[in-house]
Amino acid sequence: MLAMSVTEMCVSKPLSARAEPIAGELLLTLARKVEEKVRISMANILADCEWAPHGVIKFLAFDAPSVAEKIILQSIRLTDADLISLADSGSVEHRCLIAERPKISSSISDAVSLRAEPPVISIL
């Protein structure tokens, strides 16, 4: 499948400055068109990649919690602003995943706990 081949190519080695935006846009286009099972596989591969294109990482983080889980828990490509935005607009499951990240700033913690949802508070 094309989506998985491009994903594997992107994590095999850092992309050049010229190739990164092209690969990122291609990955994002593919992620928008494939079924959830494929997006989960893409997310699982990209979550540990330090140079994964930010756009696709952010897209997958805002996807269904089943897709977003590994990205939210592990990706260093997500910024504090991304996580705060996700805490504001995502589901309680997204907020629980953010709370489970190994290190979160106080501003992220504040955003995640704003609704005082018991499952989120117990994780924090």
Side-chain angles (χ1 to χ4, degrees), residues 13-78:
K13 64 181 182 173
L15 300 169
S16 71
R18 245 180 72 195
E20 183 179 348
I22 296 166
E25 208 42 53
L26 179 57
L27 271 176
L28 192 53
T29 299
L30 292 169
R32 288 181 174 137
K33 295 180 185 240
V34 296
E35 62 191 28
E36 184 174 313
K37 182 174 85 171
V38 176
R39 293 192 315 275
I40 290 170
S41 295
M42 291 174 72
N44 287 340
I45 292 169
L46 292 169
D48 292 324
C49 183
E50 295 177 15
W51 55 81
H54 180 254
V56 74
I57 291 294
K58 186 175 176 182
F59 174 79
L60 294 169
F62 281 74
D63 204 331
S66 59
V67 174
E69 181 175 3
K70 194 162 181 189
I71 294 287
I72 294 171
L73 292 174
Q74 293 179 229
S75 181
I76 63 168
R77 299 287 287 150
L78 289 173

Side-chain angles (χ1 to χ4, degrees), residues 105-106 109 120:
S105 67
S106 60
S109 179
V120 176

